[in-house]
Amino acid sequence: MEPNTDPFHRKITYLRISITDRCNLRCLYCISADGVRPLTHKDILTYEEILDTTRAAVELGITKVRITGGEPLIRRDILHFIRLLCTIPGLKDVSITTNGTLLKDMAGPIFDAGIRRINISLDTLNPLKFQRITRRDCFDKVREGISAAKETGFSPIKLNVVLIKGLNDNEIPQFAELSIRSPYVIRFIEFMPIGKIACWDRQKVITSSEIKSRLESLGPLQQVTSSGNDGPAKQYRFAHAKGEIGIISPISNHFCADCNRLRLTADGKLRPCLFSDHEIDIKTSLRSGCTQEDIKRLIQQGIAEKPKRHHAGHGNNTGLRPMSKIGG
Ligand code: SAM
Protein backbone atom coordinates (compact mmCIF):
# COMPACT_ATOMS: atom_id res chain seq x y z
CA MET A 1 0.00 0.00 0.00
CA GLU A 2 1.31 3.48 -0.85
CA PRO A 3 2.27 5.63 2.17
CA ASN A 4 -0.50 8.14 1.46
CA THR A 5 -3.32 5.59 1.20
CA ASP A 6 -5.62 5.40 4.21
CA PRO A 7 -7.37 2.30 5.57
CA PHE A 8 -10.41 3.06 3.40
CA HIS A 9 -8.30 3.08 0.21
CA ARG A 10 -8.43 6.86 -0.16
CA LYS A 11 -5.29 8.49 -1.53
CA ILE A 12 -4.39 11.54 0.55
CA THR A 13 -2.84 14.14 -1.73
CA TYR A 14 -4.04 17.46 -0.34
CA LEU A 15 -2.84 19.43 2.69
CA ARG A 16 -4.60 22.56 3.93
CA ILE A 17 -2.22 24.71 5.91
CA SER A 18 -3.49 27.36 8.29
CA ILE A 19 -0.71 29.90 8.84
CA THR A 20 -2.56 32.03 11.40
CA ASP A 21 -5.69 31.90 13.55
CA ARG A 22 -6.03 35.69 13.42
CA CYS A 23 -8.47 37.43 11.13
CA ASN A 24 -9.33 41.03 10.36
CA LEU A 25 -13.02 40.15 9.85
CA ARG A 26 -15.46 38.80 12.43
CA CYS A 27 -17.84 36.71 10.32
CA LEU A 28 -20.69 35.82 12.62
CA TYR A 29 -20.71 32.13 11.70
CA CYS A 30 -16.93 31.73 12.04
CA ILE A 31 -15.45 33.85 14.84
CA SER A 32 -16.81 35.66 17.91
CA ALA A 33 -17.35 39.44 17.83
CA ASP A 34 -14.26 40.16 19.95
CA GLY A 35 -12.21 37.54 18.08
CA VAL A 36 -11.19 34.27 19.66
CA ARG A 37 -8.24 34.59 22.02
CA PRO A 38 -5.42 34.60 19.48
CA LEU A 39 -2.45 32.29 19.74
CA THR A 40 0.80 33.88 20.80
CA HIS A 41 3.72 34.18 18.43
CA LYS A 42 5.48 31.21 20.01
CA ASP A 43 2.35 29.04 19.84
CA ILE A 44 2.17 29.15 16.06
CA LEU A 45 4.42 27.20 13.76
CA THR A 46 7.24 29.18 12.21
CA TYR A 47 7.37 29.23 8.44
CA GLU A 48 10.43 26.96 8.62
CA GLU A 49 8.43 24.43 10.67
CA ILE A 50 5.53 24.56 8.20
CA LEU A 51 7.92 24.09 5.29
CA ASP A 52 9.61 21.11 6.99
CA THR A 53 6.21 19.53 7.59
CA THR A 54 5.14 20.18 4.00
CA ARG A 55 8.35 18.69 2.60
CA ALA A 56 7.72 15.56 4.65
CA ALA A 57 4.09 15.46 3.46
CA VAL A 58 5.18 15.84 -0.17
CA GLU A 59 7.61 12.95 0.23
CA LEU A 60 4.62 10.85 1.30
CA GLY A 61 2.56 11.81 -1.76
CA ILE A 62 0.94 15.17 -1.02
CA THR A 63 0.89 17.11 -4.30
CA LYS A 64 -1.49 19.95 -3.50
CA VAL A 65 -1.47 22.58 -0.75
CA ARG A 66 -3.87 25.38 0.13
CA ILE A 67 -2.77 28.24 2.39
CA THR A 68 -5.53 29.42 4.69
CA GLY A 69 -6.26 30.75 8.17
CA GLY A 70 -7.59 32.89 9.96
CA GLU A 71 -6.74 35.40 7.29
CA PRO A 72 -3.46 34.27 5.72
CA LEU A 73 -2.60 37.61 4.13
CA ILE A 74 -2.27 39.30 7.52
CA ARG A 75 0.68 37.13 8.57
CA ARG A 76 3.97 38.97 8.22
CA ASP A 77 6.44 37.85 5.53
CA ILE A 78 3.89 35.65 3.77
CA LEU A 79 5.52 36.36 0.40
CA HIS A 80 8.80 34.90 1.59
CA PHE A 81 6.90 31.81 2.78
CA ILE A 82 4.96 31.40 -0.49
CA ARG A 83 8.13 31.66 -2.55
CA LEU A 84 9.77 28.85 -0.56
CA LEU A 85 6.60 26.75 -0.52
CA CYS A 86 6.21 27.00 -4.30
CA THR A 87 9.71 25.65 -4.88
CA ILE A 88 9.26 22.42 -2.92
CA PRO A 89 10.04 19.69 -5.46
CA GLY A 90 7.03 17.46 -6.09
CA LEU A 91 4.48 20.00 -4.92
CA LYS A 92 2.36 20.60 -8.01
CA ASP A 93 -0.31 23.00 -6.84
CA VAL A 94 -0.33 25.82 -4.28
CA SER A 95 -3.46 27.90 -3.80
CA ILE A 96 -4.78 30.31 -1.19
CA THR A 97 -8.10 31.14 0.48
CA THR A 98 -8.49 34.75 1.59
CA ASN A 99 -11.20 37.18 2.60
CA GLY A 100 -9.86 39.55 -0.07
CA THR A 101 -9.56 42.62 2.16
CA LEU A 102 -5.81 42.98 1.47
CA LEU A 103 -5.81 41.67 -2.07
CA LYS A 104 -5.76 45.00 -3.85
CA ASP A 105 -2.09 45.37 -2.90
CA MET A 106 -1.25 41.70 -2.46
CA ALA A 107 -2.68 40.11 -5.63
CA GLY A 108 0.37 40.98 -7.78
CA PRO A 109 2.99 39.99 -5.19
CA ILE A 110 1.39 36.61 -4.32
CA PHE A 111 1.03 35.84 -8.04
CA ASP A 112 4.70 36.67 -8.58
CA ALA A 113 5.57 34.48 -5.59
CA GLY A 114 4.02 31.52 -7.42
CA ILE A 115 0.29 31.23 -6.67
CA ARG A 116 -2.13 30.94 -9.58
CA ARG A 117 -5.38 29.73 -8.02
CA ILE A 118 -7.28 31.75 -5.46
CA ASN A 119 -10.49 31.42 -3.45
CA ILE A 120 -12.02 34.61 -2.07
CA SER A 121 -14.85 34.58 0.47
CA LEU A 122 -17.81 36.78 -0.36
CA ASP A 123 -21.12 35.86 1.26
CA THR A 124 -23.14 38.80 -0.03
CA LEU A 125 -23.20 41.39 -2.80
CA ASN A 126 -24.87 43.90 -0.51
CA PRO A 127 -22.48 46.27 1.33
CA LEU A 128 -24.75 46.66 4.37
CA LYS A 129 -25.29 42.94 4.70
CA PHE A 130 -21.55 42.44 4.28
CA GLN A 131 -21.04 44.65 7.32
CA ARG A 132 -23.65 42.69 9.26
CA ILE A 133 -22.07 39.32 8.43
CA THR A 134 -18.41 40.30 8.83
CA ARG A 135 -18.92 42.99 11.50
CA ARG A 136 -16.51 45.12 9.45
CA ASP A 137 -17.00 47.82 6.82
CA CYS A 138 -14.75 46.36 4.10
CA PHE A 139 -17.08 45.48 1.21
CA ASP A 140 -15.43 47.90 -1.23
CA LYS A 141 -11.98 46.67 -0.30
CA VAL A 142 -13.00 43.08 -1.02
CA ARG A 143 -14.56 44.01 -4.37
CA GLU A 144 -11.37 45.90 -5.27
CA GLY A 145 -9.37 42.87 -4.17
CA ILE A 146 -11.41 40.58 -6.42
CA SER A 147 -10.90 42.95 -9.37
CA ALA A 148 -7.17 43.05 -8.64
CA ALA A 149 -7.05 39.24 -8.64
CA LYS A 150 -8.78 39.23 -12.03
CA GLU A 151 -6.45 41.86 -13.50
CA THR A 152 -3.42 40.02 -12.16
CA GLY A 153 -4.40 36.86 -14.04
CA PHE A 154 -5.37 34.37 -11.32
CA SER A 155 -7.31 31.48 -12.77
CA PRO A 156 -9.61 30.20 -11.60
CA ILE A 157 -10.92 32.80 -9.17
CA LYS A 158 -13.44 31.10 -6.93
CA LEU A 159 -15.80 33.11 -4.78
CA ASN A 160 -16.88 31.20 -1.65
CA VAL A 161 -20.45 31.89 -0.57
CA VAL A 162 -21.64 30.22 2.64
CA LEU A 163 -25.41 30.14 2.33
CA ILE A 164 -27.44 30.63 5.50
CA LYS A 165 -31.23 30.54 5.32
CA GLY A 166 -32.80 33.93 5.94
CA LEU A 167 -29.46 35.69 5.77
CA ASN A 168 -28.15 35.54 2.21
CA ASP A 169 -30.04 32.79 0.39
CA ASN A 170 -32.19 35.45 -1.30
CA GLU A 171 -29.04 36.45 -3.22
CA ILE A 172 -28.68 33.18 -5.13
CA PRO A 173 -30.03 34.90 -8.31
CA GLN A 174 -27.57 37.81 -8.02
CA PHE A 175 -24.64 35.44 -7.58
CA ALA A 176 -25.90 33.38 -10.52
CA GLU A 177 -26.01 36.58 -12.59
CA LEU A 178 -22.43 37.36 -11.52
CA SER A 179 -21.33 33.94 -12.81
CA ILE A 180 -22.92 34.77 -16.16
CA ARG A 181 -21.27 38.13 -16.72
CA SER A 182 -17.86 37.50 -15.05
CA PRO A 183 -15.34 34.68 -15.24
CA TYR A 184 -15.69 33.73 -11.58
CA VAL A 185 -16.58 30.35 -10.14
CA ILE A 186 -19.27 31.04 -7.57
CA ARG A 187 -19.04 28.30 -4.94
CA PHE A 188 -22.13 27.86 -2.83
CA ILE A 189 -21.09 26.10 0.37
CA GLU A 190 -23.50 24.54 2.84
CA PHE A 191 -23.36 26.07 6.29
CA MET A 192 -21.39 23.65 8.50
CA PRO A 193 -21.67 22.93 12.23
CA ILE A 194 -18.15 23.87 13.28
CA GLY A 195 -17.44 25.06 16.81
CA LYS A 196 -19.93 26.74 19.11
CA ILE A 197 -19.64 30.10 17.34
CA ALA A 198 -21.38 28.94 14.23
CA CYS A 199 -24.72 28.79 16.18
CA TRP A 200 -25.50 26.12 13.66
CA ASP A 201 -29.01 24.91 13.21
CA ARG A 202 -30.11 22.43 10.57
CA GLN A 203 -33.00 24.75 9.68
CA LYS A 204 -30.47 27.36 8.51
CA VAL A 205 -28.80 25.02 5.99
CA ILE A 206 -29.71 25.41 2.35
CA THR A 207 -29.02 21.95 1.00
CA SER A 208 -27.23 21.40 -2.26
CA SER A 209 -30.38 20.03 -3.91
CA GLU A 210 -32.30 23.14 -2.87
CA ILE A 211 -29.50 25.38 -4.22
CA LYS A 212 -29.57 23.49 -7.50
CA SER A 213 -33.32 23.69 -7.90
CA ARG A 214 -33.30 27.41 -7.10
CA LEU A 215 -30.62 27.90 -9.77
CA GLU A 216 -32.55 25.80 -12.27
CA SER A 217 -35.58 28.02 -11.80
CA LEU A 218 -33.44 30.83 -13.26
CA GLY A 219 -32.53 28.99 -16.45
CA PRO A 220 -31.08 25.72 -17.77
CA LEU A 221 -27.97 24.67 -15.91
CA GLN A 222 -25.35 22.55 -17.66
CA GLN A 223 -23.08 20.23 -15.70
CA VAL A 224 -19.41 20.98 -16.29
CA THR A 225 -16.84 18.19 -16.47
CA SER A 226 -14.45 18.44 -13.58
CA SER A 227 -11.13 20.14 -14.27
CA GLY A 228 -9.50 18.00 -11.61
CA ASN A 229 -9.19 21.06 -9.38
CA ASP A 230 -12.82 21.24 -8.29
CA GLY A 231 -12.45 18.97 -5.27
CA PRO A 232 -15.82 17.99 -3.87
CA ALA A 233 -17.69 20.72 -5.78
CA LYS A 234 -20.22 19.79 -8.43
CA GLN A 235 -19.67 22.30 -11.24
CA TYR A 236 -22.34 23.86 -13.43
CA ARG A 237 -22.73 26.77 -15.81
CA PHE A 238 -25.55 28.73 -17.35
CA ALA A 239 -25.62 28.92 -21.15
CA HIS A 240 -23.19 31.57 -22.48
CA ALA A 241 -21.88 32.29 -18.98
CA LYS A 242 -18.33 33.51 -18.55
CA GLY A 243 -18.08 31.83 -15.17
CA GLU A 244 -19.32 28.73 -13.41
CA ILE A 245 -21.18 27.65 -10.33
CA GLY A 246 -19.89 25.12 -7.82
CA ILE A 247 -22.07 23.50 -5.17
CA ILE A 248 -20.42 21.97 -2.13
CA SER A 249 -22.48 19.81 0.16
CA PRO A 250 -20.47 18.61 3.15
CA ILE A 251 -23.63 18.11 5.21
CA SER A 252 -26.58 17.02 3.07
CA ASN A 253 -24.51 14.81 0.81
CA HIS A 254 -21.13 14.25 2.37
CA PHE A 255 -18.20 13.40 0.14
CA CYS A 256 -16.13 11.54 2.74
CA ALA A 257 -15.57 8.56 0.41
CA ASP A 258 -13.55 10.88 -1.84
CA CYS A 259 -11.87 12.90 0.92
CA ASN A 260 -8.21 13.34 0.04
CA ARG A 261 -7.18 15.91 2.63
CA LEU A 262 -5.42 16.57 5.87
CA ARG A 263 -5.29 19.88 7.72
CA LEU A 264 -2.39 21.47 9.55
CA THR A 265 -3.50 24.04 12.12
CA ALA A 266 -1.53 27.21 12.86
CA ASP A 267 -0.55 25.73 16.24
CA GLY A 268 0.91 22.64 14.65
CA LYS A 269 -1.78 20.00 14.96
CA LEU A 270 -2.60 17.66 12.12
CA ARG A 271 -6.36 17.10 11.74
CA PRO A 272 -7.40 14.01 9.83
CA CYS A 273 -11.03 15.22 9.58
CA LEU A 274 -12.50 18.74 9.60
CA PHE A 275 -15.37 17.62 11.82
CA SER A 276 -13.39 15.71 14.43
CA ASP A 277 -11.31 17.14 17.26
CA HIS A 278 -8.90 14.24 16.96
CA GLU A 279 -5.51 15.82 16.24
CA ILE A 280 -1.91 14.73 16.04
CA ASP A 281 0.64 17.00 17.67
CA ILE A 282 3.36 17.82 15.16
CA LYS A 283 4.67 20.95 16.88
CA THR A 284 6.04 19.25 20.00
CA SER A 285 8.05 16.85 17.86
CA LEU A 286 9.23 19.62 15.55
CA ARG A 287 10.52 21.49 18.59
CA SER A 288 12.28 18.57 20.19
CA GLY A 289 14.72 17.90 17.41
CA CYS A 290 12.83 15.26 15.47
CA THR A 291 14.01 14.04 12.08
CA GLN A 292 12.20 14.31 8.75
CA GLU A 293 11.41 10.59 9.09
CA ASP A 294 9.73 11.29 12.47
CA ILE A 295 7.51 13.95 10.86
CA LYS A 296 6.65 11.54 8.08
CA ARG A 297 5.62 8.95 10.67
CA LEU A 298 3.30 11.48 12.35
CA ILE A 299 1.75 12.41 9.01
CA GLN A 300 1.28 8.73 8.22
CA GLN A 301 -0.44 8.38 11.59
CA GLY A 302 -2.79 11.19 10.52
CA ILE A 303 -3.51 9.36 7.27
CA ALA A 304 -4.08 6.07 9.09
CA GLU A 305 -6.46 7.73 11.56
CA LYS A 306 -8.75 9.39 9.04
CA PRO A 307 -12.28 8.33 9.96
CA LYS A 308 -14.38 6.59 7.34
CA ARG A 309 -16.87 9.45 7.41
CA HIS A 310 -18.06 12.33 9.56
CA HIS A 311 -21.41 12.43 11.31
CA ALA A 312 -21.79 16.21 11.43
CA GLY A 313 -25.24 17.62 10.90
CA HIS A 314 -27.07 15.03 12.98
CA GLY A 315 -26.83 16.81 16.33
CA ASN A 316 -25.62 20.21 17.35
CA ASN A 317 -22.32 21.84 16.51
CA THR A 318 -19.37 19.51 16.34
CA GLY A 319 -15.90 20.21 17.59
CA LEU A 320 -14.26 22.62 19.95
CA ARG A 321 -12.38 24.77 17.48
CA PRO A 322 -14.16 27.39 15.40
CA MET A 323 -13.31 27.37 11.69
CA SER A 324 -10.92 30.31 12.13
CA LYS A 325 -8.75 28.10 14.36
CA ILE A 326 -8.84 25.12 12.05
CA GLY A 327 -8.36 26.58 8.59
CA GLY A 328 -11.18 26.35 6.07
N1 SAM B 1 -9.91 34.24 5.98
C1 SAM B 1 -10.02 33.41 4.83
C2 SAM B 1 -11.38 33.58 4.20
O1 SAM B 1 -12.19 34.33 4.69
O2 SAM B 1 -11.61 32.95 3.18
C3 SAM B 1 -9.69 31.95 5.06
C4 SAM B 1 -10.21 31.29 6.28
S1 SAM B 1 -11.96 31.07 6.35
C5 SAM B 1 -12.09 30.19 7.87
C6 SAM B 1 -12.19 29.86 5.11
C7 SAM B 1 -13.59 29.59 4.65
O3 SAM B 1 -14.30 28.93 5.69
C8 SAM B 1 -14.38 30.84 4.30
O4 SAM B 1 -14.85 30.73 2.98
C9 SAM B 1 -15.52 30.81 5.28
O5 SAM B 1 -16.68 31.34 4.74
C10 SAM B 1 -15.65 29.32 5.57
N2 SAM B 1 -16.38 28.99 6.79
C11 SAM B 1 -16.13 29.40 8.04
N3 SAM B 1 -17.03 28.90 8.91
C12 SAM B 1 -17.89 28.15 8.18
C13 SAM B 1 -19.05 27.37 8.48
N4 SAM B 1 -19.51 27.25 9.73
N5 SAM B 1 -19.67 26.73 7.46
C14 SAM B 1 -19.21 26.83 6.19
N6 SAM B 1 -18.13 27.54 5.85
C15 SAM B 1 -17.47 28.19 6.81
Side-chain angles (χ1 to χ4, degrees), residues 29-30 68-71 97-99 121 160 162 190-192 323 328:
Y29 57 81
C30 184
T68 182
E71 172 47 39
T97 299
T98 170
N99 61 30
S121 299
N160 286 355
V162 178
E190 283 178 355
F191 182 29
M192 297 185 269
M323 191 67 134

Side-chain angles (χ1 to χ4, degrees), residues 66-84:
R66 174 173 296 278
I67 304 167
T68 182
E71 172 47 39
L73 295 183
I74 65 176
R75 181 156 172 188
R76 200 179 299 170
D77 294 332
I78 186 176
L79 295 174
H80 168 70
F81 167 67
I82 294 173
R83 265 182 232 115
L84 293 174

Side-chain angles (χ1 to χ4, degrees), residues 44-284:
I44 63 168
L45 293 187
T46 63
Y47 285 141
E48 211 37 67
E49 289 167 337
I50 299 174
L51 290 164
D52 282 345
T53 308
T54 310
R55 282 186 203 102
V58 170
E59 280 181 31
L60 289 170
I62 294 287
T63 54
K64 188 172 159 183
V65 157
R66 174 173 296 278
I67 304 167
T68 182
E71 172 47 39
L73 295 183
I74 65 176
R75 181 156 172 188
R76 200 179 299 170
D77 294 332
I78 186 176
L79 295 174
H80 168 70
F81 167 67
I82 294 173
R83 265 182 232 115
L84 293 174
L85 187 67
C86 289
T87 55
I88 292 180
L91 187 56
K92 297 188 183 131
D93 185 291
V94 178
S95 57
I96 192 165
T97 299
T98 170
N99 61 30
T101 51
L102 301 175
L103 256 190
K104 188 178 172 205
D105 295 330
M106 291 293 279
I110 63 174
F111 188 91
D112 292 343
I115 294 187
R116 295 291 176 271
R117 299 194 309 109
I118 193 163
N119 287 20
I120 306 166
S121 299
L122 182 70
D123 297 323
T124 175
L125 297 169
N126 174 322
L128 284 179
K129 201 188 288 181
F130 182 93
Q131 196 166 349
R132 204 172 121 214
I133 295 175
T134 65
R135 304 180 175 114
R136 293 291 183 271
D137 183 11
C138 299
F139 181 79
D140 291 341
K141 274 195 187 146
V142 175
R143 291 308 299 257
E144 285 169 4
I146 294 170
S147 301
K150 190 168 139 209
E151 279 153 30
T152 305
F154 284 94
S155 179
I157 298 173
K158 298 185 179 179
L159 303 185
N160 286 355
V161 185
V162 178
L163 283 177
I164 300 181
K165 197 169 276 180
L167 184 65
N168 58 352
D169 58 315
N170 61 339
E171 292 188 57
I172 292 175
Q174 284 92 320
F175 277 111
E177 170 59 28
L178 183 61
S179 85
I180 292 171
R181 62 168 198 273
S182 309
Y184 304 127
V185 180
I186 308 294
R187 304 202 333 150
F188 292 117
I189 304 173
E190 283 178 355
F191 182 29
M192 297 185 269
I194 297 179
K196 299 267 176 289
I197 286 155
C199 295
W200 187 85
D201 173 349
R202 206 181 174 95
Q203 306 305 318
K204 295 186 201 161
V205 177
I206 314 282
T207 63
S208 55
S209 57
E210 193 176 341
I211 298 169
K212 187 156 174 268
S213 65
R214 290 216 215 166
L215 289 166
E216 282 167 335
S217 72
L218 303 169
L221 208 53
Q222 306 158 353
Q223 182 139 14
V224 176
T225 332
S226 169
S227 66
N229 272 326
D230 302 332
K234 290 226 164 45
Q235 297 282 126
Y236 304 91
R237 79 161 62 232
F238 286 103
H240 311 301
K242 291 186 178 157
E244 294 178 8
I245 306 249
I247 303 180
I248 301 159
S249 58
I251 300 303
S252 69
N253 191 9
H254 72 85
F255 36 81
C256 302
D258 296 320
C259 182
N260 63 350
R261 48 184 83 160
L262 288 174
R263 287 181 160 80
L264 181 65
T265 66
D267 58 346
K269 306 288 192 305
L270 196 66
R271 269 178 93 100
C273 172
L274 172 63
F275 294 101
S276 163
D277 279 328
H278 174 56
E279 297 176 340
I280 291 133
D281 181 4
I282 303 265
K283 184 174 70 181
T284 304

